[in-house]
Amino acid sequence: MTLNITMQALSDPTRRKILELLKKKDMSVTEINKNFDITMPSLSHHLGVLKQADLITYRRQKQELIYSLNLSVFENVAKILIKFFKK
Amino acid sequence: MTLNITMQALSDPTRRKILELLKKKDMSVTEINKNFDITMPSLSHHLGVLKQADLITYRRQKQELIYSLNLSVFENVAKILIKFFKK
DNA sequence: ATATAATTTAGACAGTTGTCTAAATATCTA
DNA sequence: TAGATATTTAGACAACTGTCTAAATTATAT
């Protein structure tokens, strides 16, 4: 995990909102999309960025792809940021 | 303080390094610059972004501008991020 | 007042990013 | 095997970003 890729991923408000949604429950792309006013390809792009940062994972369930928070990485990022902000 | 501007400011590695330096001690622009391989105008740009995000402040000391961490905002950002990362 | 030192502002430029439309891929169901 | 559904890939484009050089600003010291 490189902090740079992680922070870049976190710098966009849409992506932060996706993470907030996935904190509550796993969701398909279509379900995530209902919370935004962007096209599916745009959302797919954001999911790609979050995937590359290893912040989310997905599994297939019939036709749908179900995305989830990658909890271990998410918590690791939290630790690193807390350390960064510790004076 | 808007999280968006803050996160945008934190997304660049040079700016994060500037904050790390200022965590240790207040520094003039020239002194900060010795830690990087960029021109003064580029550094000045980064300081501007951090200023706009209210993460740093400065005072004049003779010819020099001495930059410091804006501790209250810095700690507030920490709180917000910890909350964000809390599952 | 003039020269020097410290920093910012102005303007340009290449690279990155977020968005879109159109097309492709993958899976399920009838 | 078709047709429908879910999602991604490809390619284009405007906006934003980080960098630079050159010039301007601000303050000090001679």
Side-chain angles (χ1 to χ4, degrees):
Chain A
M1 194 223 70
T2 54
L3 187 58
N4 213 27
I5 287 175
T6 307
M7 292 303 287
Q8 199 60 40
L10 291 173
S11 71
D12 181 84
T14 299
R15 288 194 289 268
R16 286 197 305 275
K17 190 172 170 189
I18 292 171
L19 293 176
E20 295 274 21
L21 289 169
L22 294 181
K23 261 163 66 172
K24 295 187 212 144
K25 65 180 173 96
D26 298 356
M27 290 168 89
S28 73
V29 181
T30 300
E31 194 175 2
I32 294 172
N33 189 244
K34 287 185 182 129
N35 295 273
F36 297 96
D37 199 29
I38 59 177
T39 61
M40 287 296 280
S42 292
L43 175 55
S44 190
H45 161 72
H46 287 304
L47 292 173
V49 174
L50 290 171
K51 253 185 289 176
Q52 209 188 315
D54 210 22
L55 286 163
I56 59 174
T57 57
Y58 67 92
R59 63 180 184 278
R60 185 171 282 280
Q61 195 171 87
K62 299 207 172 185
Q63 302 104 309
E64 298 180 328
L65 295 183
I66 309 293
Y67 278 85
S68 334
L69 216 53
N70 187 345
L71 270 181
S72 60
V73 172
F74 200 71
E75 279 165 20
N76 190 34
V77 172
K79 273 184 204 157
I80 289 170
L81 284 181
I82 287 167
K83 194 174 172 189
F84 178 84
F85 278 101
K86 189 140 291 173
K87 178 71 168 83
Chain B
M1 195 225 68
T2 54
L3 187 58
N4 214 24
I5 288 175
T6 306
M7 291 304 287
Q8 199 61 41
L10 290 174
S11 71
D12 181 84
T14 298
R15 290 196 286 270
R16 287 196 305 274
K17 190 171 168 187
I18 291 171
L19 294 175
E20 295 273 23
L21 289 169
L22 294 180
K23 261 164 63 173
K24 295 188 211 145
K25 67 178 173 96
D26 298 357
M27 289 170 90
S28 73
V29 182
T30 300
E31 194 176 1
I32 294 171
N33 188 245
K34 287 184 182 131
N35 296 274
F36 297 96
D37 199 29
I38 58 177
T39 62
M40 289 296 281
S42 292
L43 175 54
S44 190
H45 161 72
H46 288 303
L47 292 172
V49 174
L50 290 172
K51 254 185 288 177
Q52 209 188 313
D54 210 22
L55 286 164
I56 59 174
T57 57
Y58 66 93
R59 62 181 187 279
R60 185 171 281 281
Q61 193 172 89
K62 299 209 171 183
Q63 301 105 308
E64 296 180 327
L65 296 183
I66 309 293
Y67 278 86
S68 334
L69 216 56
N70 188 344
L71 270 181
S72 62
V73 172
F74 200 72
E75 278 165 21
N76 190 34
V77 171
K79 272 184 203 155
I80 290 171
L81 284 182
I82 288 168
K83 195 174 171 188
F84 178 85
F85 279 101
K86 189 141 289 173
K87 181 64 170 82

